[in-house]
Each structure stands twice: as C-alpha cells, then as structure tokens.
C-alpha cells in the first residue's frame, strides 16, 4: 500500500469537448498519479467529492447489502423513509422510526446524509392529498419546519422541493395540489427549511433536467437564477439522472452542470441509474462521472440503490453491482474515472459561516504518537477546504507484526466523513474511528502503510489524535 499523495488536478478538459464525448478520450496525465482509491468513496474523496447511494431500511439486515454499502459509499439517501407519507402519516403525528434507522446507520458508519424529500406532489400522506389552498400551504410549511428541525444538524443537503416542473416542451410548473396553492410555494418551502436547519444545504431536485436543450432544464435554470437574484435561500440543484435507452446520458451534460453551477449553486447527481449492461452501460456511467468531475461545484454523485436487485427498476439492471453483489463493468468504469481525478471541489458554499479559516489554525497536536506495542502512527496534513480537510496516517511497524489497528479521535464538532485504504469502525459518539487494514495487516520491521480520511471540521482545525496497536 502506498501513501496517497496530493493529486494534481486535471483542468476542465471536458469543457472543451462536452460531456459524453470526452468520456471516450484517452487522458494522459503529465504528472505522477496518486495512489488509486480502491472504493468509490475513496476515489471520489481524492477530489473532495462524495459518492453515495440510496438505502432502504428494510434491507439493513442483509449482510451483503450493508457490507457493500458501508465499504463503497459515504453519502446516504433514504430511498422512501423520509418522504412526506413516511414522516407524517397522520396530521401532526410524526413517525421518525424508519428515517432514524437510516440516519443512525449512516452516522454510526461515519457517513453523511442527503435528506429526501421535504415537499413533493407525490407520496403525500392521504390526509394531505385531500387538502388545498391556504390550509394545504400551512400544512406543507409545517411539515418542512418539523422534519427539517427534527433532523437539524444531521443532514448534509435537503431536497427541499422535488419534481415541481412539468415534462415536455411547456417549461411550465407541474400541476399539483401544492402548485395550486400559489406559484410561490417553492420559495416558501426553501425559506422554511433554511429557518429550521440553517446548516443544511438546500437543493431543488428533479429528473429530465440533464439535457441543456430541454425546456424543463431551462425552466428550472430560470427559477434558480430568479431565486439567486431575489435572495431566496437555495444552495444546490439535484439532477436525479435516471437514464435508459429512450433517455440516454446527453452529450451536453457537462454544459448543463456548469451552467447551473455558474449561477452560484452546487450541483449534485442525486439518483443516478442507467438501464443496460456491459460496456455500453459502463461507458454511459463513465460519461456522467466525467461530467461531474469536470465541474468544480459538482460536489458528489449518488446512485439510486446498491445492487440491480435493489433497484426500483430492477429489470433494467441499472446499478453498479449485480444481484449477487459482484462489481459490474459499470462499477469499474466509474471507479477508474473517479481515479482519473478532476477539478477539485473548492469551497462548496457551506451555508453556515465557518468560524475560523485556514491560516488561523490552532497549534497542532503532536505529529507523532508512540505506538503501543510495536507500531507507530504518524499524521500528515492533506488538502484543506473551507469546510473540511484531508489527513493521512502512516503506520510504521517497529518490529515485524502480523496485524495492526489505529484509532483516530476527532474533537466535537469535527466529524470524519470519508475514509480510504482501510476498514473503519466507529464508537457510539462518532468521534473515535478505529481503522484496521482491509486485507492482511502483516508488516515487516520498518515497513509502512497509510490510510486517509476527510474531516468536516465545523470550524475546529485541530489535528486528530492517534494511537497504534500491533498484534
Ligand atoms: O425508488 C423509489 C421507489 O422505491 C418508490 O416506490 C418510488 C415511489 O414514488 O420512489 C422511488 O424513488 C423516486 C425518488 O423518490 C424521486 N425520483 C424518482 C425516484 C424513482 O422513481
């Protein structure tokens, strides 16, 4: 295992060629490549991005499922459990249990959560479906406030409003009971969400908005532009990215993502799946990843499920793992493309002001910690962003050892949000991560291995403290 190094970033190459077309180009890096990430989350973290999946609470006791989900992904979306009907089945009576199962599983495993979704025309509880006018508007805003408040501080980004525009060439809003409460229902929902959880990024999320030429894409773009101009609190736009042969990955995907980002919002691929198989599916996945990597404010990618058999459209085999949990060609192409690197995510506009900035870093804790037993753990700093930093721990065997484990303790309010080159477990506080080797931990005397992680610092730049113990 080699030490992950600071990756040299490839410029916005795809900008010159456009989305999918660029996916087929052979890219030669003029600089040494860093150690390749061996999981999707590790490879994405090298450029400051996350890689996520939708999780169904009902599958959390399936060991194959949770093993893959835990290993590969560091951003979790509840596939159905945080929708309006699940959260508030009867008016004023909230049921947090399945949402909590997913949020707790994610946090216990050091992962972040995308909240999905606060306000949507679909999957409304029966009582809400029958409402209209100001009564419905009040009920919707109350729902947004209650749910966002309950999960306050635990959500990376909320899909505040989902799928509010019509398909086809009209460029109009979708007709729905919510739309009929008045055209300002979307901005009202965003304002309520901001008030309830000021630390979460607030996203508008939709499908069929990938092709820059489509009327729906233009309509959403114009809404976001208007929101930014008028100070409506919006931080991000989610592109669901459900593709199939009738709706393939557009060649102008990069243009779409870049144009939205240029409005001053983050963009995220939020529900990616692509029906198909083999190299054609793999190539389309590669195109999506490359489009995101070429846009600095494309902060992460979420696929809509783990294995093909977990998918809402399982017959289309649209995901990265087959029904047995094997990696598909699409998985390999995504991993390889992530490892090609891309624009580094800059300061992704965390809506919470960052109290301290790099440069005013407090005195670091010691760089070296005497190993208990016969190994030593040494910390070295990696890349820094406004809201997070990367670190590397190098394990050195002082004598020949057959295995090791290393604890990394961060201080509240810091959180470790991504790891690579090891198998982490967490204590109940979430502050102490114990990293063990993914494979054999045997090391000869003097030999070293490294693992890495990303800390969301929430204003505290203190270095983590380390221990190492050998067996
Ligand atoms: O994957 C979800 C599926 O299990 C549900 O039955 C369905 C109900 O509407 O919702 C699916 O997820 C949708 C997501 O919430 C919003 N974008 C489209 C997704 C696929 O339909």
């Amino acid at each position: 295992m080699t030490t992950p190094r600071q990756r040299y970033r490839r410029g916005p190459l795809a900008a010159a060629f456009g989305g999918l077309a660029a996916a087929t180009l052979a890219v030669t890096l003029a600089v040494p490549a860093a150690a390749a990430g061996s999981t999707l989350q590790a490879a994405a973290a090298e450029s400051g991005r996350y890689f996520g999946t939708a999780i169904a609470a009902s599958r959390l006791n399936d060991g194959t499922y949770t093993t893959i989900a835990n290993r590969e992904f560091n951003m979790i979306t509840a596939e159905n459990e945080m929708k309006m009907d699940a959260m508030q089945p009867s008016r004023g009576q909230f049921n947090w249990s399945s949402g909590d199962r997913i949020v707790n599983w994610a946090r216990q495993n050091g992962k972040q959560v995308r909240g999905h979704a606060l306000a949507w025309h679909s999957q409304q509880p029966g009582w809400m479906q029958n409402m209209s006018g100001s009564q419905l508007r009040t009920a919707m805003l109350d729902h947004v406030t209650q749910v966002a408040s309950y999960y306050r501080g635990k959500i990376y980004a909320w899909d505040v409003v989902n799928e509010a525009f019509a398909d086809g060439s009209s460029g109009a809003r979708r007709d729905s009971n919510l739309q009929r409460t008045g055209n300002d229902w979307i901005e009202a929902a965003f304002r309520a969400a901001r008030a309830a959880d000021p630390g979460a990024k607030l996203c508008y999320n939709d499908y069929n908005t990938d092709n820059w030429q489509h009327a729906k894409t233009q309509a959403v773009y114009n809404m976001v532009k208007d929101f930014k101009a008028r100070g409506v609190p919006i931080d991000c736009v989610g592109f669901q990215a459900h593709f199939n042969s009738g709706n393939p990955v557009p060649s102008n995907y990069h243009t779409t993502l870049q144009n939205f980002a240029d409005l001053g919002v983050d963009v995220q691929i939020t529900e990616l799946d692509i029906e198909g198989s083999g190299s054609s599916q793999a190539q389309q996945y590669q195109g999506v990843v490359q489009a995101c990597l070429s846009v600095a404010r494309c902060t992460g990618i979420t696929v809509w499920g783990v294995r093909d058999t977990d998918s809402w459209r399982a017959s289309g085999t649209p995901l990265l793992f087959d029904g047995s949990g094997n990696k598909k060609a699409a998985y390999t192409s995504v991993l390889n493309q992530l490892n090609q690197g891309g624009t580094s995510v800059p300061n992704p506009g965390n809506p919470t002001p960052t109290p301290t900035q790099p440069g005013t870093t407090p005195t670091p804790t010691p760089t070296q910690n005497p190993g208990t037993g016969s190994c030593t753990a040494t910390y070295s700093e990696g890349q820094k962003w406004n809201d997070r930093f990367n670190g590397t721990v190098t394990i050195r065997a002082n004598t020949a050892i057959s295995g090791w484990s290393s604890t990394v303790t961060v201080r509240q309010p810091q959180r470790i949000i991504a790891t690579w080159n090891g198998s982490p477990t967490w204590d109940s506080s979430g502050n102490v991560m114990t990293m063990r080797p993914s494979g054999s931990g045997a090391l000869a005397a003097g030999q070293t291995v490294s693992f890495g992680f990303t800390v969301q610092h929430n204003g505290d730049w203190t270095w983590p403290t380390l221990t190492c113990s050998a067996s």
Side-chain angles (χ1 to χ4, degrees):
M1 216 180 281
T2 53
T3 305
R5 276 162 289 168
Q6 171 77 42
R7 174 177 291 282
Y8 289 84
R9 312 286 163 197
R10 199 153 50 81
L13 176 73
F17 299 96
L20 192 55
T24 56
L25 292 177
V27 175
T28 308
L29 291 175
V31 291
S38 59
T39 63
L40 300 172
Q41 59 165 310
E46 290 171 18
S47 64
R49 293 178 172 83
Y50 64 80
F51 209 97
T53 187
I55 289 286
S58 59
R59 291 190 165 84
L60 281 177
N61 40 25
D62 173 337
T64 306
Y65 179 84
T66 52
T67 298
I68 298 170
N70 201 6
R71 184 186 68 217
E72 299 289 342
F73 304 103
N74 60 350
M75 183 68 74
I76 300 301
T77 307
E79 186 172 358
N80 288 296
E81 293 78 353
M82 292 166 77
K83 292 174 180 174
M84 299 178 99
D85 56 352
M87 297 265 87
Q88 196 180 177
S90 309
R91 187 162 191 194
Q93 291 189 348
F94 290 83
N95 181 351
W96 310 114
S97 57
S98 355
D100 281 353
R101 261 194 93 190
I102 291 187
V103 171
N104 293 340
W105 181 84
R107 288 169 64 81
Q108 280 156 11
N109 289 292
K111 303 176 190 310
Q112 293 184 286
V113 178
R114 290 195 83 263
H116 175 80
L118 291 172
W120 190 18
H121 69 277
S122 181
Q123 284 185 275
Q124 292 179 2
W127 62 266
M128 188 181 276
Q129 290 175 32
N130 297 326
M131 288 178 112
S132 62
S134 61
Q135 197 194 19
L136 173 61
R137 172 69 68 95
T138 302
M140 181 274 287
L141 292 177
D142 180 60
H143 181 88
V144 170
T145 300
Q146 300 274 349
V147 176
S149 300
Y150 179 80
Y151 286 110
R152 180 179 183 148
K154 297 182 174 175
I155 303 296
Y156 165 78
W158 268 111
D159 291 332
V160 178
V161 170
N162 197 35
E163 302 177 359
F165 280 81
D167 294 314
S169 58
S170 71
R173 293 281 184 88
R174 174 193 297 277
D175 180 47
S176 72
N177 61 346
L178 290 170
Q179 180 63 28
R180 289 191 292 271
T181 69
N183 208 48
D184 62 344
W185 75 276
I186 298 180
E187 61 196 82
F190 274 84
R191 290 197 168 99
R194 177 69 97 229
D197 186 357
K201 291 175 190 287
L202 305 182
C203 301
Y204 176 78
N205 191 52
D206 214 329
Y207 66 92
N208 281 353
T209 48
D210 313 285
N211 190 323
W212 180 242
Q213 306 296 340
H214 285 179
K216 188 171 172 182
T217 310
Q218 294 293 318
V220 173
Y221 177 85
N222 287 331
M223 178 188 74
V224 175
K225 188 175 180 187
D226 171 56
F227 279 12
K228 293 300 285 185
R230 290 191 294 113
V232 177
I234 185 169
D235 307 303
C236 39
V237 176
F239 296 81
Q240 293 185 8
H242 294 296
F243 297 111
N244 57 26
S245 55
N247 176 35
V249 179
S251 59
N252 60 20
Y253 208 7
H254 161 84
T255 302
T256 304
L257 298 178
Q258 188 64 62
N259 285 345
F260 273 87
D262 288 346
L263 291 176
V265 288
D266 290 351
V267 293
Q268 303 166 359
I269 309 288
T270 53
E271 304 181 15
L272 177 61
D273 54 14
I274 307 175
E275 292 187 326
S277 61
S279 59
S280 131
Q281 182 183 47
Q283 197 180 15
Q284 292 206 64
Y285 261 105
Q286 183 188 16
V288 174
V289 174
Q290 188 172 42
C292 177
L293 288 175
S294 69
V295 176
R297 287 195 78 157
C298 185
T299 57
I301 298 172
T302 295
V303 289
W304 203 239
V306 178
R307 301 161 299 196
D308 284 337
T309 43
D310 302 317
S311 170
W312 65 297
R313 43 182 190 174
S315 62
T317 61
L319 293 172
L320 301 178
F321 294 86
D322 70 18
S324 305
N326 300 309
K327 296 169 180 175
K328 294 166 58 181
Y331 171 93
T332 307
S333 74
V334 168
L335 184 70
N336 289 345
Q337 190 62 45
L338 291 170
N339 276 318
Q340 291 279 327
T343 57
S344 186
V345 173
N347 306 315
N350 188 337
T352 310
T354 310
T356 55
Q357 299 292 327
T360 59
T361 310
T363 311
T365 50
T367 57
Q368 204 170 56
N369 176 296
T372 55
S374 54
C375 60
T376 306
T378 307
Y379 181 72
S380 57
E381 287 187 295
Q383 189 163 2
K384 298 187 183 73
W385 295 268
N386 257 6
D387 62 339
R388 62 203 191 286
F389 59 82
N390 281 353
T392 300
V393 173
T394 300
I395 303 295
R396 181 178 186 279
N398 301 320
T399 58
I401 60 175
S402 56
W404 55 268
S405 70
S406 174
T407 63
V408 178
T409 303
V410 297
R411 293 200 325 195
Q412 284 282 15
Q414 297 175 329
R415 282 190 69 75
I416 298 177
I417 57 168
T419 69
W420 51 95
N421 292 352
S423 298
T425 54
W426 306 83
D427 78 336
S428 56
S429 74
N431 292 350
V432 184
M433 173 182 74
T434 302
M435 186 67 99
R436 294 185 174 81
S438 301
S440 163
L443 295 174
Q447 201 179 349
T448 60
V449 290
S450 297
F451 63 86
F453 50 86
T454 303
V455 176
Q456 181 180 306
H457 57 66
N458 293 316
D460 186 335
W461 291 85
T462 312
W463 289 8
T465 54
L466 312 174
T467 67
C468 188
S469 63
S471 53

